[in-house]
C-alpha cells in the first residue's frame, strides 16, 4: 500500500506549534527577505513566505530591488541588516541576476542571521559535523517529513538526483549524518536508472520530468522536490506520479509535499535564530 507524505498537514501542525512558542515572548522575530528582479516564481515564493510569517506574528520585511541593481548596493544593505539588532533573520531569494556574484552576497550575511543556512560558516559546520546555526530549509523539511512518518533512514541507500547547494548537497550531508548510504546523481551521471533502481529512498530535485516507473524499485520511498508547470499549465514534479506512486511505499505529492515543508522550516529557522538571540 502506498502512503502519501502529506506536507501540508505537517506544515499546519508545525506552524501551530511555532505560533504557540512565539506567544510567550515579549518581542518578535524580524525576517528580512531581499528580492532582486521580477522572476515570477521568486515573487510567489517570497509573498508566500511573508504571508506565512505574518500569520505567526513574525515581522516580515521584503526589500525589492530592480534586476539591474549594483552588487555593492546589496552588500551595503546586508551589512546594515547585520548590524541592526531588530533584524533576527536575513534571506536573499535565489536565483540572483547574472551580474551579481551570489557567493559574495551570501558570504556577506552574518551566520547568526543566515536563515537559509547557506553561508560558508553554516555549510562548513554542516559538513564537519559541528552544529550550524540552522540547517537549510528544504533538506530539513524532507527529513522532518520522513521522521513524521517514521521512515527509517539509518543504513538505507538514499539516492539524490540533483547536486544544488540549496537541496542536493546539504541533503546528502544531512542524510549521511543520519547514517544513510548516500549517492548523488546529476546531469552527467551515466546509467541513471541503474542507480535510482537501487534506492531505498529516492529524492529528485531537478525540475524536469525525469523519474518514471522504470527507474525505481518496488517499495521505494520517493520524495519529489521538483515543481514546475508542464506544457498544459499543470503543476507537476520530477516524478511521473500516476505511474510511479502505486509501486512506492511512501511518496510526496506535487504540490502539497516538499513545498509546504520548506516554508514551515523557514519559519522554524526564523524562530530558532530569534531564540538564540534572546
Ligand atoms: N530559491 C529557491 N529555493 C530557495 C531557498 O530555499 N532559499 C533561497 N534564499 N532562495 C531559494
Amino acid at each position: 500500500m502506498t502512503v502519501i507524505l502529506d506536507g501540508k498537514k505537517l506544515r499546519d501542525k508545525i506552524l501551530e506549534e511555532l505560533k504557540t512558542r512565539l506567544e510567550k515572548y515579549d518581542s518578535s522575530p524580524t525576517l528580512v527577505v531581499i528580492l532582486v528582479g521580477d522572476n515570477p516564481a521568486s515573487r510567489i515564493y517570497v509573498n508566500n513566505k511573508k504571508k506565512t510569517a505574518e500569520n505567526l506574528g513574525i515581522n516580515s520585511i521584503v526589500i525589492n530591488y530592480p534586476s539591474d541593481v549594483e552588487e555593492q548596493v546589496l552588500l551595503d544593505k546586508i551589512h546594515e541588516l547585520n548590524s541592526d539588532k531588530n533584524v533576527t533573520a536575513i534571506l536573499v531569494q535565489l536565483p540572483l541576476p547574472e551580474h551579481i556574484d551570489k557567493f559574495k552576497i551570501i558570504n556577506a550575511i552574518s551566520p547568526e542571521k543566515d536563515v537559509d543556512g547557506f553561508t560558508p560558516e553554516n555549510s562548513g559546520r554542516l559538513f564537519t559535523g559541528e552544529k550550524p546555526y540552522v540547517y537549510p530549509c528544504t533538506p530539513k523539511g524532507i527529513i522532518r517529513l520522513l521522521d513524521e512518518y517514521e521512515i527509517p533512514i539509518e543504513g538505507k541507500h538514499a539516492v539524490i538526483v540533483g547536486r544544488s547547494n540549496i537541496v542536493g548537497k546539504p541533503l546528502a550531508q544531512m542524510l549521511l549524518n543520519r547514517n544513510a548510504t548516500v549517492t548523488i546523481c546529476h546531469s552527467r551521471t551515466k546509467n541513471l536508472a541503474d542507480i535510482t533502481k537501487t534506492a531505498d529512498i529516492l529524492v529528485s530535485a531537478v525540475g524536469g520530468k525525469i523519474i518514471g516507473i522504470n527507474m525505481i524499485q518496488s517499495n521505494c520511498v520517493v520524495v519529489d522536490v521538483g515543481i514546475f508547470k508542464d506544457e498544459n499549465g499543470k503543476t507537476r514534479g520530477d516524478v511521473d506520479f500516476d505511474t510511479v506512486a502505486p509501486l512506492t511505499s511512501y511518496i510526496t505529492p506535487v504540490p502539497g509535499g516538499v513545498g509546504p515543508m520548506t516554508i514551515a522550516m523557514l519559519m522554524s529557522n526564523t524562530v530558532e535564530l530569534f531564540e538564540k538571540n534572546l
Side-chain angles (χ1 to χ4, degrees), residues 42 45 49 91-95 116 118 137-138 166 262:
S42 291
Y45 293 143
K49 289 169 185 176
L91 181 148
V92 177
Q93 184 67 29
L94 301 172
D116 271 318
F118 288 167
C137 303
T138 302
I166 297 178
T262 297

Side-chain angles (χ1 to χ4, degrees), residues 159-173:
V159 176
I160 302 168
V161 188
R163 54 177 156 178
S164 71
N165 288 333
I166 297 178
V167 184
K169 282 192 258 178
L171 177 62
Q173 189 59 47

Side-chain angles (χ1 to χ4, degrees), residues 6-230:
D6 189 340
K8 268 194 196 167
K9 192 168 139 202
L10 181 54
R11 171 200 62 194
D12 291 346
K13 179 173 128 181
I14 290 167
L15 294 181
E16 223 23 73
E17 287 166 5
L18 291 172
K19 198 168 181 174
T20 311
R21 201 158 130 190
L22 284 173
E23 275 163 5
K24 62 177 190 275
Y25 300 115
D26 296 330
S27 57
S28 320
T30 295
L31 166 67
V32 177
V33 177
I34 294 178
L35 174 62
V36 181
D38 43 23
N39 178 322
S42 291
R43 195 163 287 280
I44 293 169
Y45 293 143
V46 167
N47 285 340
N48 227 333
K49 289 169 185 176
K50 184 171 167 61
K51 241 184 4 209
T52 311
E54 284 169 351
N55 280 336
L56 295 186
I58 294 171
N59 305 310
S60 168
I61 300 166
V62 178
I63 309 179
N64 279 280
Y65 289 98
S67 53
D68 61 355
V69 66
E70 278 181 35
E71 191 175 88
Q72 193 57 46
V73 172
L74 298 179
L75 291 171
D76 290 346
K77 176 51 78 178
I78 291 169
H79 291 139
E80 181 194 316
L81 297 170
N82 283 343
S83 44
D84 183 340
K85 283 201 180 59
N86 294 317
V87 173
T88 51
I90 303 169
L91 181 148
V92 177
Q93 184 67 29
L94 301 172
L96 288 168
E98 293 264 312
H99 70 282
I100 291 169
D101 180 345
K102 70 172 176 193
F103 295 113
K104 226 167 159 182
I105 300 297
I106 291 169
N107 296 358
I109 302 170
S110 163
E112 305 97 80
K113 298 191 182 187
D114 166 27
V115 74
D116 271 318
F118 288 167
T119 58
E121 174 160 352
N122 282 321
S123 52
R125 285 178 179 219
L126 170 62
F127 278 76
T128 56
E130 188 185 350
K131 254 184 140 208
Y133 285 93
V134 290
Y135 292 88
C137 303
T138 302
K140 181 175 170 176
I142 291 169
I143 290 179
R144 180 70 182 78
L145 196 54
L146 296 178
D147 285 343
E148 181 71 11
Y149 286 82
E150 298 180 352
I151 296 167
I153 295 174
E154 181 161 319
K156 299 295 178 189
H157 185 203
V159 176
I160 302 168
V161 188
R163 54 177 156 178
S164 71
N165 288 333
I166 297 178
V167 184
K169 282 192 258 178
L171 177 62
Q173 189 59 47
M174 288 167 74
L175 289 169
L176 192 57
N177 291 350
R178 293 283 298 268
N179 300 315
T181 301
V182 182
T183 304
I184 306 183
C185 301
H186 48 78
S187 52
R188 310 286 167 87
T189 297
K190 295 204 172 95
N191 307 322
L192 178 64
D194 290 344
I195 300 170
T196 56
K197 267 190 227 160
T198 67
D200 301 308
I201 301 170
L202 176 64
V203 181
S204 185
V206 171
K209 304 186 245 192
I210 65 154
I211 307 294
I213 192 164
N214 57 339
M215 295 178 73
I216 63 160
Q217 64 175 335
S218 51
N219 290 321
C220 181
V221 176
V222 173
V223 177
D224 192 348
V225 186
I227 183 159
F228 61 99
K229 292 242 193 263
D230 71 9

